[in-house]
Amino acid sequence: MMDTVLTIVRLRWALTWAALRKSVWQTIGYVISLLMGVAVVVGTGLLAWFLGDPAGVNNASGFAQGLEVIMVLLGAFITLMTAFAQLMLIGESSTMSPRKLELYGIPDRTLQAGLLAAGLSGIPAICAIIALMLWSLAYRWMGVGVVVAAVVSAPLTVITVVSFSKMVINAATTLVRSNRGKNLFYIIVMITFVAICYVPSITLNSSMEGIEFSIDTFAAPAAIFAWTPFGAAFQLPFDVLHGSWGPLIGRLAVLALSWVLCFMASTWCLRHERLVSGSQSEAVSVKGIGAFSWMPDSVSGAVSARLFTYLKRDPRQGLMFAFPVIFLVLMAFQSHGITPVVWTALPMSAMFFSITESNGLAYDGRGLTMQVISGVSGVADRLGRVRIYVGVILTYLVALTIACFVVTGDWRTPDGILMGMTFAAGAACLAFCGLGLAEVVSCVLMYPVPSMEKPFATPQGRAVAQGFFPLVYLLGMFVLAVPSGLVAIVLAVAGQWDMYWVLIPVFLLNGAGFLALGSWLGGKLMDARMLSIVSTLDSFASLQK
C-alpha cells in the first residue's frame, strides 16, 4: 500500500512539472502562487516574533486568554472557509482525479490514501505547515512545552483541513448529481460562504450599536469549538500552558477520529461513484423548441436562444445570479436605518452580472464549434449574447430597485426617489460597461472551466487564471466607468452636489456607449481569432475528462 501511495505522490509532482514545461502562463502563475505562499510564511513569522517578544504586548493583562480565544475561533473560521473556498473555486483537481486512476485496479482505500498524501504534499499545504510552525514563535514567552505543542499542532491542523476539504468535495461531487440539485447546492454554498464572511462585519456593527462584547463574550464559543476538529488543534498549546493533560489527550482523539471519519466518507464516495456511475442519468422530455420559438428569427436570435437554454441548465453560471439577492439582504441587515447602505447593493450586484460572460466562450466549450462551422459572424454572436444579458440585467435592476424602495421607504419622498434612481443608473452603468468589456476579454483571456456535468471538478491549470483574469475584468469595468466618475468629481469640486441627478443620464450614456463599443469590437476580435478560439476550447475540453 505504501509503495502505491508514494507512487501517486510522485505522479502528482510529475504531472505538475509536465504542465509547467508545457505552458509558460502556468509557469508564471505557479511562480506567483509560490511567491504569495512565501509572503504568507514570512509575514506569519514576523508577526509571531513580534507577539512572542517577552517585553512586548504579551505583558498586557489578559493577553494569554485573549490570544487563546482568538486562535481557536480564528482557526475554526479559517478551516471552514478553506473548505468552502476549495469547494467553490478549486474543486476536485483533474490533475489527480480518481476517475483517471480507476482503470489501474487500485483498491479504494489505497487510492484515497494516495490522493490525500498528494494533497498534503502540495505547495499550499507545505506553506501552511511552515507558517503554522513559525507561529509557535508567538508562544515562546509561555515556555518550551507550549512552543513544542504549537509545532506539533501545525501538521495536525493541515491534515484536518485537507481531510475535511476532500470529504466535502467528494460528497458534493458524488451525491449532488442532477443539474437542478447542483444549482440549488451551489446557491446554498454561496449563501453560506458569504454569510460566514460577513460574521466579523456583523459583529462589529453590533458593537457599534451599543451591544457589549469582549473576550469573555467569545470565551464560551471558543470553548465549544475547541472540542471540534475545526478548533481542537489550535487549543493544544494552551492545554499545555494550563497543564490540562486530560483535555489535551481528548482533543487529540477528536482530531484522530475526525481524520478517520473523513477518510471513510471520502472512500465511500469514491466507491459509490464507481458503482453507480451512469446509472442515475435523468430522462429529459422537451416539448417544442423552447427559446428558439420566441427569439428573433435571425442568426443573433438563434445565438440568444442557445445561450438562454445553456444558462437555465448550467449550475456553474447559475450561482452568479444569486449574488444580487445576497447583497440586498446583507446590506439591509447592516444598514441600521442608513438607507444609502441598502442602495449600495445595486452597484455591488452590477459587478457580478457579467463576470461569467467574461469567460463565456469557455463555458460554451465545444458547443461553439457548430456555430463556427455554420459561418456565424462574431458580431452576430456578440449581439445574440448581449441581448440575453441585457434582459437579465434590466430585470434584476428593476426588481432590486423596487425591493430597495420597499426596504428603505425612500419612495415616500422626492429626494429618496431621486437618490434611488441615481443608484440604479450607476448600477446600470457598471453592469453595461462590464458586459461590453466581457464581450471583448472573453475572446482573449480565456481559462478552462469544469464540465457542466461535474461543476466541482477543476481542470488542470485553471486556478491561477481563474484568479487573475476575472480581476482584470473587474478593474477594467471601473476604468470604463471613469467618465461618469469625472463628472461626479466636477460636481463635488464645484460645490454643486445638489445637482447629482445630472449623473443619471451620464451614467446611462456611459454604460450604453461602452456596451455598444465592446459588442462591436468583441465581434471583430472574435472573427479575427475564430480558429484560435476553437482550438483553445478544444484543448480546454480535453482537461474536463
Side-chain angles (χ1 to χ4, degrees):
M1 174 179 177
M2 186 56 64
D3 291 340
T4 304
V5 171
L6 294 177
T7 300
I8 293 176
V9 173
R10 289 196 296 269
L11 176 61
R12 180 230 191 276
W13 281 103
L15 291 173
T16 299
W17 292 122
L20 295 180
R21 288 194 298 268
K22 180 180 179 181
S23 171
V24 176
W25 282 108
Q26 289 191 38
T27 303
I28 294 174
Y30 196 84
V31 171
I32 294 175
S33 300
L34 182 60
L35 292 176
M36 293 174 62
V38 172
V40 171
V41 170
V42 173
T44 302
L46 293 176
L47 178 60
W49 183 264
F50 169 73
L51 293 177
D53 184 3
V57 296
N58 50 48
N59 288 322
S61 176
F63 179 80
Q65 179 190 4
L67 185 62
E68 178 179 354
V69 171
I70 291 173
M71 285 305 302
V72 172
L73 292 180
L74 182 61
F77 179 81
I78 292 175
T79 302
L80 291 171
M81 291 297 288
T82 301
F84 275 110
Q86 187 161 350
L87 181 62
M88 291 185 302
L89 303 179
I90 302 176
E92 178 192 38
S93 175
S94 66
T95 307
M96 294 299 298
S97 172
R99 297 171 186 84
K100 290 187 175 181
L101 301 172
E102 61 187 5
L103 298 178
Y104 299 98
I106 304 174
D108 293 335
R109 292 182 181 178
T110 303
L111 177 57
Q112 190 59 44
L115 295 175
L116 178 62
L120 291 171
S121 67
I123 292 297
I126 294 174
C127 289
I129 291 176
I130 296 175
L132 289 172
M133 285 183 172
L134 288 176
W135 183 251
S136 64
L137 296 173
Y139 304 140
R140 66 185 189 275
W141 59 282
M142 300 180 184
V144 177
V146 177
V147 173
V148 173
V151 172
V152 173
S153 69
L156 304 184
T157 301
V158 175
I159 293 174
T160 303
V161 172
V162 174
S163 299
F164 182 70
S165 298
K166 283 190 173 295
M167 182 195 68
V168 171
I169 294 171
N170 290 332
T173 305
T174 302
L175 302 180
V176 185
R177 306 187 66 85
S178 67
N179 286 335
R180 182 176 300 177
K182 292 170 185 175
N183 274 301
L184 179 60
F185 185 79
Y186 257 132
I187 293 174
I188 293 174
V189 169
M190 180 60 66
I191 293 174
T192 306
F193 180 81
V194 175
I196 295 176
C197 287
Y198 269 84
V199 167
S201 176
I202 293 173
T203 303
L204 292 177
N205 277 343
S206 298
S207 67
M208 293 175 63
E209 285 295 303
I211 298 177
E212 293 290 336
F213 81 101
S214 63
I215 291 299
D216 294 334
T217 306
F218 298 102
I224 295 174
F225 275 105
W227 283 103
T228 67
F230 311 118
F234 297 93
Q235 180 66 33
L236 297 181
F238 299 98
D239 285 337
V240 175
L241 176 65
H242 302 316
S244 305
W245 307 113
L248 174 68
I249 296 173
R251 280 183 247 278
L252 289 174
V254 168
L255 290 174
L257 180 61
S258 67
W259 301 341
V260 172
L261 292 177
C262 288
F263 183 83
M264 292 175 60
S266 298
T267 305
W268 179 86
C269 290
L270 177 61
R271 183 179 296 111
H272 180 78
E273 178 72 13
R274 289 181 174 182
L275 293 176
V276 304
S277 179
S279 64
Q280 297 184 17
S281 58
E282 299 178 348
V284 179
S285 59
V286 179
K287 296 181 179 180
I289 57 175
F292 289 90
S293 63
W294 49 269
M295 284 293 177
D297 187 13
S298 63
V299 174
S300 66
V303 173
S304 297
R306 184 173 69 88
L307 175 61
F308 182 80
T309 304
Y310 271 29
L311 289 179
K312 287 197 306 179
R313 301 176 179 178
D314 193 347
R316 304 165 300 173
Q317 303 183 69
L319 66 90
M320 290 304 169
F321 299 122
F323 273 117
V325 178
I326 295 173
F327 288 142
L328 178 60
V329 172
L330 290 174
M331 292 300 103
F333 187 74
Q334 297 190 86
S335 64
H336 300 301
I338 305 175
T339 58
V341 174
V342 180
W343 286 105
T344 57
L346 269 68
M348 290 176 65
S349 301
M351 295 169 54
F352 293 91
F353 280 135
S354 306
I355 195 168
T356 55
E357 176 61 9
S358 65
N359 193 38
L361 295 180
Y363 284 104
D364 277 0
R366 284 176 169 163
L368 185 72
T369 304
M370 183 59 67
Q371 178 179 311
V372 174
I373 295 175
S374 302
V376 177
S377 68
V379 174
D381 176 85
R382 302 291 90 176
L383 178 60
R385 301 183 73 89
V386 164
R387 179 185 287 114
I388 294 298
Y389 275 96
V390 167
V392 171
I393 290 171
L394 291 179
T395 301
Y396 255 109
L397 286 180
V398 170
L400 288 175
T401 301
I402 295 174
C404 286
F405 274 126
V406 172
V407 172
T408 62
D410 286 333
W411 57 272
R412 298 186 180 93
T413 63
D415 289 340
I417 294 175
L418 191 60
M419 180 184 66
M421 297 307 297
T422 304
F423 270 100
C429 175
L430 276 179
F432 290 154
C433 286
L435 180 56
L437 181 63
E439 301 305 329
V440 176
V441 299
S442 62
C443 300
V444 182
L445 303 180
M446 294 182 289
Y447 53 87
V449 296
S451 68
M452 192 183 301
E453 289 76 19
K454 300 172 183 176
F456 304 108
T458 302
Q460 183 177 340
R462 175 195 183 210
V464 175
Q466 187 194 21
F468 285 99
F469 288 172
L471 180 61
V472 172
Y473 159 77
L474 291 173
L475 293 177
M477 178 196 309
F478 287 102
V479 171
L480 295 183
V482 164
S484 298
L486 293 177
V487 174
I489 292 174
V490 170
L491 288 176
V493 172
Q496 301 296 322
W497 190 247
D498 290 340
M499 298 178 60
Y500 68 88
W501 53 267
V502 173
L503 291 173
I504 295 178
V506 173
F507 281 142
L508 297 178
L509 289 174
N510 188 171
F514 279 113
L515 174 59
L517 178 62
S519 301
W520 174 81
L521 183 59
K524 295 299 182 182
L525 190 59
M526 187 175 180
D527 285 333
R529 303 191 70 252
M530 193 74 78
L531 296 180
S532 176
I533 290 172
V534 172
S535 176
T536 301
L537 295 180
D538 188 67
S539 66
F540 286 174
S542 66
L543 298 177
Q544 298 175 345
K545 296 178 180 179

